[in-house]
Amino acid sequence: MRAEPTLGNMTAPIEYEDRILLYVDILGWSRLVADSEHDMSKRQLVGRAIDHIISFHGWARIPGIAATTGWHVALASDSFFASSPVESEYLDNFLLETARLARSLLLEGVFLRGALVQGQLLHNKELILGPAVVRAVELEHAANYPRILVDDRIRDRLSGDVGDPGWIYEADDDRASFDYIRYFCDCANLDAARVVAEVDRLLEAVDRKAGQDEQRQDPQLGKKIAEKNRWVREYLTYHRRVVDPGAVG
């Protein structure tokens, strides 16, 4: 007979710590994976997308790196979690890996939507839970478009001086998101001409995706996808105009 639990063997209370949490959802992943069963090009795309995700995951798993950075990563189907200690000399690297992931998938014509938050979290090799997860999931659901929304604490870290948005991008709805294109370009020390070339490459990828999406037979689904394509194109065009004011999107 199983013994009844007693006060002597009760589980200790959860111990949270203040961490930076990234949560992203790969948009259209289920359909892409389903289509890949009979479409070799889609299967190759799935493989490349996984490589980009594993790149973030693998960097954090290099022997010694995980212990040094304090990063933890969790993959679950089309969802990806990664977290870092708040006070870390590797936080810039964490944000760069976030920017690199979003930009690499965008070049493949794959969008992600997510959130960056700072809050109480328990994240280790076995599990991830805490108020920060709840907040990140809520923000991701509110994102609507392919962007990474940020909470106020992250916004304070990413904002520039007065008159400079820093690494924050605000669309027409005034929701603050991580400006991963500027972050990537700044970290790569790209001059204006190279930024334009980078943005043009990304615009070409979005236009290719839009052309493929127009062939969808479901009008309602096609409309929602077209809105996402439009949003990303406006985001990229914004950056082209910043470095080339005479550019036409």
Side-chain angles (χ1 to χ4, degrees):
M1 179 180 294
R2 182 178 178 181
E4 292 297 322
T6 64
L7 291 176
N9 60 17
M10 289 182 65
T11 302
I14 292 293
E15 293 292 338
Y16 295 129
E17 64 174 313
D18 201 22
R19 294 179 69 87
I20 305 294
L21 173 65
L22 167 70
Y23 166 58
V24 297
D25 181 43
I26 311 299
L27 301 181
W29 186 251
S30 297
R31 183 183 181 93
L32 178 59
V33 171
D35 290 346
S36 71
E37 182 177 2
H38 304 293
D39 188 328
M40 178 56 70
S41 65
K42 296 290 180 62
R43 203 174 310 168
Q44 292 171 338
L45 176 55
V46 169
R48 293 196 301 273
I50 291 174
D51 283 344
H52 295 311
I53 296 171
I54 289 177
S55 177
F56 196 135
H57 185 271
W59 198 93
R61 297 285 184 175
I62 294 175
I65 294 292
T68 301
T69 63
W71 294 7
H72 287 297
V73 175
L75 302 173
S77 184
D78 58 352
S79 297
F80 175 79
F81 291 91
S83 71
S84 165
V86 170
E87 301 302 330
S88 169
E89 62 182 297
Y90 295 94
L91 185 56
D92 289 346
N93 300 82
F94 184 85
L95 293 172
L96 177 57
E97 288 302 312
T98 299
R100 197 191 310 277
L101 175 62
R103 173 237 181 213
S104 298
L105 288 177
L106 184 52
L107 279 173
E108 300 286 0
V110 177
F111 294 165
L112 57 75
R113 183 179 63 211
L116 264 171
V117 304
Q118 178 178 336
Q120 295 296 295
L121 184 68
L122 171 60
H123 194 184
N124 56 37
K125 294 180 180 180
E126 286 75 36
L127 55 84
I128 176 170
L129 61 90
V133 175
V134 176
R135 176 58 178 156
V137 171
E138 289 175 346
L139 267 185
E140 187 274 331
H141 286 168
N144 295 325
Y145 301 110
R147 56 183 170 177
I148 301 174
L149 291 184
V150 300
D151 67 5
D152 290 341
R153 299 174 77 182
I154 298 295
R155 179 172 185 157
D156 290 342
R157 289 175 172 270
L158 297 178
S159 295
D161 297 328
V162 176
D164 180 3
W167 298 300
I168 293 294
Y169 174 75
E170 288 187 350
D172 293 340
D173 60 0
D174 296 326
R175 300 299 298 264
S177 62
F178 177 40
D179 190 348
Y180 60 87
I181 295 300
R182 179 175 177 181
Y183 198 93
F184 178 85
C185 291
D186 284 354
C187 288
N189 293 315
L190 300 186
D191 58 24
R194 293 167 68 195
V195 170
V196 169
E198 170 74 9
V199 171
D200 283 348
R201 286 181 63 205
L202 293 166
L203 283 169
E204 289 174 3
V206 173
D207 288 343
R208 283 196 302 272
K209 178 181 181 301
Q212 296 168 357
D213 291 337
E214 288 176 358
Q215 301 175 14
R216 294 181 181 274
Q217 297 180 353
D218 186 335
Q220 191 61 34
L221 180 60
K223 182 179 179 180
K224 292 180 179 179
I225 294 174
E227 290 176 353
K228 291 179 173 59
N229 292 336
R230 175 191 56 77
W231 191 94
V232 175
R233 205 176 198 291
E234 288 179 354
Y235 169 54
L236 295 172
T237 300
Y238 159 80
H239 280 287
R240 206 182 191 290
R241 286 175 174 157
V242 167
V243 295
D244 183 6
V248 178

